Amino acid sequence: MKILAVCGSGLGSSFMLEMNVQQILGELGVSGIEVEHSDLSSATPDQADLFIAAKDIADGMGHLGEVIVIDSIIDMDGIRYKLKEALEKKGLI
């Protein structure tokens, strides 16, 4: 499985989100999930099984597939909650 962290224009915030997702996956004891990052204009549906981004760009992500929408890329509790929920639905945890 692959998760793509997406930001609006640059790559700095998506890279930070990628690192936060990797940290949370480690805390949850989940392995076998690849995490990468991209800007929204470069993201395509075939790049990942699951996409994660902040709510400010979520409206522009409908074409990508399954998207986890978070309130803030630095809110670890919020990211953890939404990511865990999505992984549970997929039977990965």
Side-chain angles (χ1 to χ4, degrees):
M1 177 176 183
K2 186 172 181 180
I3 297 173
L4 190 68
V6 182
C7 68
S9 57
L11 294 174
S13 56
S14 61
F15 181 60
M16 180 187 296
L17 181 54
E18 174 189 345
M19 292 188 308
N20 289 344
V21 168
Q22 288 174 336
Q23 179 181 333
I24 291 166
L25 290 173
E27 291 170 5
L28 295 173
V30 178
S31 60
I33 297 179
E34 184 180 349
V35 184
E36 292 184 1
H37 67 280
S38 175
D39 62 284
L40 180 57
S41 63
S42 300
T44 59
D46 62 333
Q47 284 183 289
D49 303 295
L50 186 60
F51 298 84
I52 185 167
K55 63 183 175 183
D56 61 331
I57 64 166
D59 288 343
M61 296 181 66
H63 68 287
L64 294 176
E66 187 174 353
V67 178
I68 297 173
V69 180
I70 57 171
D71 292 325
S72 168
I73 65 169
I74 59 171
D75 176 11
M76 293 296 279
D77 290 334
I79 298 168
R80 184 179 296 103
Y81 176 81
K82 298 264 181 107
L83 185 60
K84 185 177 179 187
E85 183 179 56
L87 295 176
E88 285 173 344
K89 285 181 184 176
K90 293 185 172 295
L92 297 170
I93 56 172

